[in-house]
Amino acid sequence: MQLRLGLLAVSSIVALLVSSALALAGSAPSAGDPAWNKIVAAGKKEGKVVIIGPSGSDVRDAYSLGFQKKYPEIQVDFSGMRGAEVAPKLLAELKANHYVTDIAIAGTTTALASLVPANAVVPLQPYLVGPEAKDVSMWRDRKHHFSDSTEKYNLYFGSRVQVAFVYNTELTPPATMKTKIKSWQDLLNPEWKGKIAVLDPRQAGAGLDLSTYWYTNEKLGLGKEFIRKLFATQDVFISREEQQILDFVARGRHMIAIGPSGTLTFQLISRGLPLALFGSGAMQGAGFVTASNGTLTVVRDAPHQNAVKVYIDYLLSREGQIAWSKASGLASLRTDVPKDHIPEVLVPDEGVKYQETHLEKYVMMRKEIVEFLNTVIRR
């Protein structure tokens, strides 16, 4: 009887191991999988993948060089531009039935407020078919993350504690700035009047992201009143060009820049400009996280269907995420990607529940927020 029970136990364990192995094998195709190899071969035959993404040579290289080395037969045609420029370009292409672009890498406002409603992008699941894309074991919560509530269209693969502002370290050393700015309300102090430059928050970008956080946190002493005071009393300089306000701060014309891309600022710092990022987590009331431009969508009627699958598979690999994270200054949601190159104030703390302004429920408030901003910004 004991022998029979022992045999049954061994049989059960063997069956469990076999079924687990089969499940794993079915969940993620190996590099030698015939179906995947066929897709790779077809992508090589297409010979190109066309991507719109953030500006900056470092970012362009991160999105192209590693992939080109692994797949030299597939050219990466990468165009960098401001987030506010992405949707108009793609929508104009589609309206003209001019199908050029395959992938858009931009912020969630661009994806959810402009591209998804216009039927300009398609569900991503059919493109997550490679061995890296299918294997979610190393991703946070063991899954891919989407900004849209349907979890179909806009996959985000990184985040950071949002940058509160950028400042000139020669004019105000970091230790001094930490004593001067401890809360958002400190930006309203007379000391900063005429010394703040803001990326126009009425367009897609970090300026609008910050305004969303302020608008939705009246309980922290922010809300409409804080926004009204900032623009009415502080004589802020407003620009639609993030490079311009960063240049002004680097040259000392202004002390603080609110809203420029953290990715672009990260690149300028690496080149020796006297700039520093002030994380929103240092503010009283804690900070919030953003996916920034670490998200992707696939454009409707993308002309290089197989190359898109191959490219996404590489981008979501550990190698692809390390290159991207180093160039962007965002922390990858892959848990095996190091974060030691990112300023500590921008790395989300494990176990902390942050407001995630890149999610659809916040993005879809932005029309209302922009309408309010138009009442307080008179230019």
Side-chain angles (χ1 to χ4, degrees):
M1 184 71 168
Q2 289 180 340
L3 178 61
R4 182 181 300 173
L5 289 172
L7 289 172
L8 285 171
V10 170
S11 298
S12 298
I13 292 170
V14 170
L16 177 62
L17 291 173
V18 170
S19 63
S20 297
L22 288 173
L24 287 171
S27 64
S30 69
D33 178 73
W36 175 242
N37 289 342
K38 186 177 180 181
I39 290 171
V40 173
K44 292 177 178 179
K45 188 174 180 180
E46 291 169 352
K48 179 189 287 189
V49 59
V50 181
I51 303 170
I52 290 178
S55 57
S57 58
D58 292 353
V59 175
R60 180 198 64 219
D61 289 347
Y63 278 115
S64 57
L65 295 184
F67 178 82
Q68 295 269 208
K69 184 176 180 180
K70 186 170 184 177
Y71 299 102
E73 304 89 347
I74 305 176
Q75 174 192 354
V76 177
D77 184 343
F78 185 92
S79 297
M81 60 187 66
R82 296 184 299 115
E85 298 173 328
V86 175
K89 176 176 170 56
L90 289 178
L91 295 178
E93 286 181 5
L94 295 176
K95 185 177 180 179
N97 295 323
H98 189 49
Y99 304 113
V100 177
T101 306
D102 296 301
I103 298 172
I105 297 172
T108 58
T109 299
T110 296
L112 301 185
S114 298
L115 300 181
V116 172
N119 193 32
V121 293
V122 295
L124 276 163
Q125 201 59 44
Y127 297 90
L128 303 176
V129 294
E132 296 290 347
K134 292 279 284 185
D135 181 7
V136 296
S137 63
M138 299 308 298
W139 287 88
R140 191 185 75 188
D141 300 329
R142 299 177 66 86
K143 67 176 186 176
H144 289 309
H145 296 262
F146 292 80
S147 68
D148 57 293
S149 58
T150 62
E151 298 191 345
K152 290 182 179 180
Y153 299 101
N154 185 225
L155 185 151
Y156 66 95
F157 43 86
S159 68
R160 65 160 161 250
V161 176
Q162 179 60 288
V163 177
F165 57 84
V166 178
Y167 64 99
N168 185 308
T169 55
E170 292 180 345
L171 297 175
T172 312
T176 303
M177 184 59 82
K178 288 179 182 178
T179 65
K180 290 178 175 290
I181 303 289
K182 296 182 179 180
S183 70
W184 293 106
Q185 286 81 2
D186 287 336
L187 291 171
L188 303 179
N189 291 340
E191 176 181 3
W192 306 113
K193 185 171 182 177
K195 299 177 181 179
I196 299 174
V198 179
L199 185 68
D200 195 332
R202 296 166 295 184
Q203 65 180 15
L208 179 53
D209 193 37
L210 285 158
S211 296
T212 300
Y213 179 76
W214 298 334
Y215 190 88
T216 56
N217 279 282
E218 186 175 358
K219 62 185 178 183
L220 297 178
L222 301 174
K224 293 181 180 180
E225 190 59 27
F226 170 81
I227 297 173
R228 187 178 288 111
K229 287 180 178 179
L230 177 66
F231 289 103
T233 69
Q234 292 302 79
D235 190 24
V236 300
F237 172 78
I238 298 173
S239 173
R240 298 180 68 85
E241 300 293 335
E242 57 189 352
Q243 183 71 58
Q244 182 184 46
I245 63 175
L246 287 171
D247 287 345
F248 284 174
V249 171
R251 286 160 32 198
R253 178 171 169 176
H254 291 89
M255 302 281 285
I256 287 175
I258 296 176
S261 161
T263 300
L264 178 58
T265 307
F266 197 68
Q267 293 176 46
L268 297 178
I269 292 172
S270 70
R271 295 171 190 169
L273 270 69
L275 300 172
L277 301 161
F278 197 99
S280 63
M283 297 292 201
Q284 186 177 5
F288 63 106
V289 296
T290 175
S292 187
N293 48 39
T295 87
L296 68 88
T297 53
V298 173
V299 182
R300 173 168 55 84
D301 295 320
H304 310 102
Q305 290 283 314
N306 294 288
V308 168
K309 296 171 185 176
V310 178
Y311 184 84
I312 290 176
D313 194 65
Y314 172 79
L315 178 60
L316 298 181
S317 71
R318 183 174 187 270
E319 178 185 348
Q321 286 292 288
I322 288 175
W324 166 78
S325 180
K326 286 182 176 179
S328 67
L330 275 83
S332 173
L333 297 188
R334 276 192 73 113
T335 58
D336 58 348
V337 173
K339 300 177 177 64
D340 55 1
H341 56 283
I342 305 171
E344 187 177 351
V345 295
L346 303 184
V347 178
D349 291 327
E350 293 291 333
V352 174
K353 184 68 174 177
Y354 293 95
Q355 181 172 330
E356 297 179 285
T357 55
H358 51 270
L359 297 181
E360 184 172 2
K361 66 178 180 178
Y362 293 112
V363 172
M364 301 317 290
M365 291 181 64
R366 289 181 177 170
K367 181 178 179 182
E368 171 189 335
I369 294 169
V370 169
E371 289 175 353
F372 170 71
L373 288 168
N374 280 326
T375 69
V376 297
I377 300 175
R378 302 295 184 181
R379 48 188 157 180

